[in-house]
Amino acid sequence: MLFRSDVRGNLTIGSNATFAAGTSLTHAIAGNWLNNGSFTFTTANTVLFNGANSATISGSSSTAFNNLSVDKGSSIATVLEATGPMSMNGNLTFTDGLFRLTHASSSAQPGGSLTIPSTAGIEINGGTLNPNFGSITNQGLFRVISGSATVGTSSGNAVNNQTGSTCNVQGGTLTVSGRLTATGGTVSQSGGTITLCTVGNTDAGTANFDISSTSNLSLTGGSVVFSLPNTATTPYNSLNIVNGGTKTVSGGTFQFGNASTPTSQLFKVNSAIPLFNFTINNVNAPSVQLVTNDLTINGTLALNGGNIDGATNNKLVIVTNSSSSAVTQTSGFINSNLRRAVATTGANYLFPVGLTTGEYTPATLNFSNLTAGNLTVKANSGDEPNLSVSPFAAIDPAKSVNAYWTLTASGGAASTGYSGTLGYTAGLNDNSTFATSYVLGKFNSGWTYPTVSATPSSTALSFSGANGFGNLAIGSCQTPTTANAGPDQTQCNNGSFTLAGNSISTPNNGTWTCVSGCTGVIISTPNSPNSTVTGVVAGVPATLRWTIDVGNPNCATS
């Protein structure tokens, strides 16, 4: 290496002076760089900041370096800080020390792929790290406090964090054209925005945000935004966090899709640990598919675009935050089980579930009596399978909504009083002309019928007075079999009769009642068409009625 200058102290360029750096030379500066004048070079010029002491780059004039090399001290405790304006258009290299970009008009660029050694680091604290083709291999410190850092210009460019490294985002923006990975070290974020895969990631075995079993993760704030999914021919996960190391996510948001996301992109998600906030963006309907692990969310779930597909791999979405506002929806739904923590009476808990065939079938529940715990809701296609089960199957499968909801309690949840609204698309009605006469049935070892609290429509039914959980089904009442009490009977000196009502079958229920002459009359089995009647007083006619119904007092009888 040919040195033209070897300055053991500070270098000052006066206001009327010019430092002409020449061609293909390296100038070593151990102290501060103060430029109040002019710095020029032709080609392949390098300024090396060395020495054991911390130093600054400042001045009233902006310094445009070509290549810049940092070799300060023996660790990141020795700092080269750009407190004044600067830029560069060549290569940035590290041996030792921390390079800090503080001034708002200070910028640097790797010039290609960059390795940060274990005793070196770069910190963006108001300045700008400009993109260039290539990746950053981090064995030391990569930190963004404020300002912006952009890594890579092509598909697959990455920030690769290795053993012993620290990747820390406290604020500002970090944008990566490909992926952010950790095979070791620690990735942490407390603020700011990390945007990933703005160009592409064709690695079929590495996610856009990929945290291995041998690395640590700490997220307390900020956002991680996925612009594109993994773009391999057979797409891999966009988010992949596996067990191992020390991993906690107590804040922050994972957002899938942004304003640059093309139409109908599918992001595959796997996290072995709970996430905090989870958002699907509203532009061009991006969607998420769960793989390997259930998705657990300790903060909020916001559905603003496409769906969350848990059905393909039989995965659940679990929201542990018991606030009723923890789940919001403007577009899209979950096509598998959604488990929510429920703890508040008088609040509307939304379960934005839907069918694998694409229909949105949400359930909103409001508890007037509640023991806190978890409630899982799943929307199912077709008629509820117990509509043919007697007693009390009042709903006609041919006049129903071809979907039903399964409500399952866990963690101690119980309710003896709740209301709600069930939504469905018009196409799920067998015949929407019957919609205004719909009833709601709940099956749990038998049928009960909450009160329909408003006139149903072809897209929604509201109810109240539900007790306990099970399957909820919607439809019009069955038409009961026409009742026939059989012939009149006359006997002398015998008060015992065998009735001859017409027989019934599911879902019909029959009941004998005494209408007149009832004193002393006993109907032994009131629900049998052939019940025995005793106690009829000689000379006093007794009139009995055989009524057939379908088990719901809101339905017709015969």
Side-chain angles (χ1 to χ4, degrees):
M1 181 180 294
L2 179 61
F3 288 89
R4 179 64 178 268
S5 301
D6 187 0
V7 180
R8 303 298 174 91
N10 301 327
L11 185 144
T12 299
I13 305 173
S15 59
N16 296 314
T18 298
F19 180 5
T23 302
S24 301
L25 298 176
T26 295
H27 302 277
I29 311 296
N32 299 325
W33 175 285
L34 177 64
N35 181 13
N36 293 324
S38 176
F39 173 73
T40 64
F41 61 89
T42 51
T43 59
N45 184 274
T46 299
V47 175
L48 167 65
F49 286 90
N50 61 7
N53 56 296
S54 295
T56 60
I57 299 172
S58 63
S60 59
S61 299
S62 180
T63 302
F65 296 102
N66 181 37
N67 301 323
L68 191 149
S69 183
V70 180
D71 185 8
K72 299 290 290 182
S74 58
S75 71
I76 60 172
T78 310
V79 180
L80 173 65
E81 182 173 9
T83 60
M86 64 153 284
S87 62
M88 56 175 294
N89 60 9
N91 296 320
L92 175 64
T93 58
F94 289 92
T95 303
D96 296 292
L98 177 67
F99 182 34
R100 178 180 293 148
L101 293 168
T102 300
H103 194 275
S105 296
S106 63
S107 64
Q109 65 188 38
S113 290
L114 171 67
T115 296
I116 302 175
S118 61
T119 55
I122 184 168
E123 180 179 282
I124 314 303
N125 189 24
T128 302
L129 180 66
N130 290 318
N132 208 335
F133 176 82
S135 299
I136 291 180
T137 299
N138 180 26
Q139 301 167 354
L141 173 65
F142 182 86
R143 176 182 290 150
V144 182
I145 297 175
S146 63
S148 65
T150 304
V151 178
T153 58
S154 301
S155 177
N157 291 165
V159 177
N160 297 313
N161 298 285
Q162 299 184 346
T163 301
S165 67
T166 297
C167 178
N168 173 241
V169 178
Q170 301 178 20
T173 62
L174 168 60
T175 303
V176 186
S177 64
R179 57 189 179 268
L180 187 152
T181 71
T183 57
T186 298
V187 174
S188 62
Q189 183 181 14
S190 58
T193 300
I194 300 172
T195 302
L196 302 173
C197 205
T198 58
V199 179
N201 173 23
T202 59
D203 191 324
T206 306
N208 304 352
F209 188 84
D210 199 295
I211 309 299
S212 74
S213 62
T214 55
S215 58
N216 304 318
L217 176 67
S218 174
L219 302 181
T220 61
S223 298
V224 179
V225 179
F226 297 83
S227 184
L228 293 172
N230 181 281
T231 53
T233 303
T234 301
Y236 186 60
N237 303 341
S238 297
L239 170 64
N240 192 57
I241 304 173
V242 299
N243 275 320
T246 301
K247 295 182 172 69
T248 58
V249 180
S250 59
T253 300
F254 285 95
Q255 176 182 310
F256 295 87
N258 60 11
S260 300
T261 303
T263 302
S264 302
Q265 298 295 298
L266 177 64
F267 296 83
K268 294 185 177 183
V269 169
N270 172 51
S271 178
I273 65 171
L275 306 180
F276 199 71
N277 299 323
F278 192 96
T279 297
I280 297 182
N281 195 50
N282 63 344
V283 177
N284 289 331
S287 59
V288 165
Q289 184 181 87
L290 305 183
V291 296
T292 310
N293 288 286
D294 296 332
L295 173 62
T296 300
I297 300 165
N298 288 341
T300 62
L301 169 63
L303 299 175
N304 302 313
N307 302 335
I308 296 179
D309 171 20
T312 297
N313 295 304
N314 195 28
K315 302 304 172 187
L316 280 71
V317 176
I318 302 167
V319 179
T320 64
N321 181 356
S322 63
S323 169
S324 62
S325 61
V327 176
T328 58
Q329 187 269 356
T330 58
S331 179
F333 57 83
I334 299 163
N335 73 357
S336 63
N337 290 283
L338 169 60
R339 179 186 300 163
R340 293 196 61 178
V342 291
T344 305
T345 58
N348 289 326
Y349 282 87
L350 171 65
F351 292 80
V353 294
L355 305 178
T356 57
T357 49
E359 295 86 357
Y360 182 41
T361 51
T364 301
L365 305 177
N366 189 305
F367 302 93
S368 57
N369 182 289
L370 175 66
T371 301
N374 302 314
L375 182 63
T376 300
V377 175
K378 183 179 186 296
N380 310 276
S381 297
D383 289 323
E384 205 284 336
N386 297 293
L387 288 182
S388 60
V389 173
S390 186
F392 310 134
I395 294 173
D396 188 341
K399 300 176 183 177
S400 67
V401 174
N402 291 306
Y404 65 98
W405 295 258
T406 299
L407 279 58
T408 307
S410 60
S415 177
T416 56
Y418 63 95
S419 59
T421 299
L422 302 175
Y424 39 90
T425 62
L428 290 172
N429 296 270
D430 284 324
N431 187 333
S432 60
T433 59
F434 296 107
T436 56
S437 64
Y438 280 163
V439 296
L440 175 68
K442 180 179 72 68
F443 183 83
N444 187 351
S445 302
W447 286 98
T448 57
Y449 295 91
T451 301
V452 175
S453 54
T455 301
S457 71
S458 61
T459 57
L461 178 145
S462 296
F463 65 92
S464 61
N467 296 301
F469 304 114
N471 288 349
L472 301 180
I474 296 172
S476 290
C477 293
Q478 297 265 16
T479 300
T481 299
T482 301
N484 185 338
D488 293 341
Q489 300 183 41
T490 303
Q491 295 191 45
C492 295
N493 300 319
N494 189 342
S496 177
F497 298 85
T498 300
L499 301 176
N502 60 317
S503 61
I504 58 174
S505 59
T506 300
N508 296 279
N509 308 283
T511 305
W512 286 106
T513 54
C514 185
V515 178
S516 63
C518 300
T519 303
V521 173
I522 299 174
I523 304 171
S524 61
T525 50
N527 298 117
S528 170
N530 305 118
S531 175
T532 297
V533 177
T534 59
V536 177
V537 179
V540 180
T543 301
L544 305 181
R545 175 180 291 129
W546 177 235
T547 302
I548 297 176
D549 64 67
V550 291
N552 186 335
N554 297 315
C555 296
T557 61
S558 172

